[in-house]
Amino acid sequence: SQWGEENLQALSIQEGEDVTMNCSYKTYTTVVHWYRQDSGRGPALIILIRSNEREKRSGRLRATLDTSSQSSSLSITAAQCEDTAVYFCATDEGGLSGKLTFGEGTQVTVIS
Amino acid sequence: GPKVLQIPSHQIIDMGQMVTLNCDPVSNHLYFYWYKQILGQQMEFLVNFYNGKVMEKSKLFKDQFSVERPDGSYFTLKIQPTALEDSAVYFCASSLAGALAEQFFGPGTRLTVL
């Protein structure tokens, strides 16, 4: 498998708390995509972090990438109820095809 | 933002029948993908398509599967004949470029094979 066993998670947090989810990968990647998937919908890209970047921010989201340990994290600051979703990381080996390899995802539930 | 549409949203068919899943990708996109997601499991790459040809396919893309996009119309995934293990949600995606590009996903087609 591309992914480590620690990727399958379900997290339940209170509104206003911070949450961090992690993923690790086993093969080379040029970029890590973080997607969120709302129930009954397709995934939507929220952050894309390239192999030459250690950190990327977008609003309340922060992604990190450590190519030496082949791991990436996504943090949500001051979570809100609308952040409830499944979050996936996906790697792109950089081949011409753009094939994505997805992790198992983390179900994040934000409770008010 | 750009939207990918998928038709139908649900399809129920008997094992052995043929099914065609339709995808209307973002209009100026050049790369097209199908992914398969079994309930509760991770999404898995099936195939991608560029310039009228399959670029890469996974081992999940069995001989019974085929894709095409005739004359810039729908990008389709055909399964003939279907098997019970084909039951899943199939997501179409499109992107402007191949590597390193954002892929825009449709809402999925839930296929149930009885």
Side-chain angles (χ1 to χ4, degrees):
Chain A
S1 167
Q2 166 81 341
W3 301 97
E5 294 176 357
E6 66 270 27
N7 292 303
L8 180 60
Q9 291 187 77
L11 302 175
S12 187
I13 59 172
Q14 294 288 327
E15 201 170 24
E17 291 183 338
D18 300 342
V19 62
T20 296
M21 58 209 93
N22 301 292
C23 72
S24 58
Y25 54 92
K26 295 182 180 178
T27 59
Y28 172 78
T29 189
T30 57
V31 62
V32 173
H33 303 239
W34 281 95
Y35 281 84
R36 69 171 280 167
Q37 185 175 22
D38 296 286
S39 180
R41 303 182 70 174
L45 182 72
I46 52 175
I47 280 193
L48 185 153
I49 182 165
R50 300 178 191 276
S51 57
N52 63 348
E53 299 174 307
R54 294 187 63 82
E55 179 182 288
K56 190 86 169 279
R57 291 180 184 266
S58 176
R60 294 183 294 105
L61 304 176
R62 173 178 173 261
T64 66
L65 178 58
D66 184 343
T67 53
S68 62
S69 64
Q70 295 187 305
S71 62
S72 179
S73 71
L74 175 70
S75 299
I76 306 173
T77 303
Q80 301 172 4
C81 290
E82 53 263 37
D83 296 324
T84 294
V86 178
Y87 293 83
F88 294 95
C89 52
T91 57
D92 179 343
E93 294 175 12
L96 294 176
S97 73
K99 165 191 170 185
L100 293 180
T101 302
F102 282 86
E104 293 180 343
T106 300
Q107 170 67 60
V108 173
T109 303
V110 183
I111 303 167
S112 61
Chain B
K3 286 197 187 305
V4 174
L5 304 177
Q6 289 188 241
I7 301 164
S9 56
H10 293 85
Q11 181 87 54
I12 300 174
I13 58 171
D14 291 323
M15 182 177 62
Q17 284 189 316
M18 181 195 76
V19 68
T20 300
L21 309 183
N22 299 291
C23 171
D24 187 9
V26 178
S27 61
N28 63 336
H29 283 186
L30 301 175
Y31 292 78
F32 312 107
Y33 311 81
W34 284 103
Y35 292 86
K36 177 182 180 181
Q37 186 177 40
I38 294 173
L39 187 63
Q41 298 184 21
Q42 68 202 84
M43 192 163 322
E44 295 187 273
F45 170 83
L46 281 176
V47 66
N48 59 4
F49 192 82
Y50 168 75
N51 198 27
K53 293 191 287 284
V54 170
M55 291 189 71
E56 185 175 355
K57 58 186 179 181
S58 73
K59 59 185 177 183
L60 296 178
F61 194 79
K62 304 178 295 185
D63 291 343
Q64 297 90 326
F65 288 44
S66 63
V67 291
E68 64 176 355
R69 192 183 186 218
D71 300 323
S73 60
Y74 286 149
F75 174 52
T76 63
L77 173 65
K78 184 187 292 186
I79 309 174
Q80 180 179 28
T82 50
L84 295 177
E85 60 264 28
D86 297 330
S87 293
V89 180
Y90 291 83
F91 290 96
C92 172
S94 70
S95 63
L96 195 53
L100 309 181
E102 177 178 1
Q103 293 181 22
F104 292 83
F105 283 78
T109 293
R110 181 175 298 278
L111 176 65
T112 302
V113 182
L114 302 176

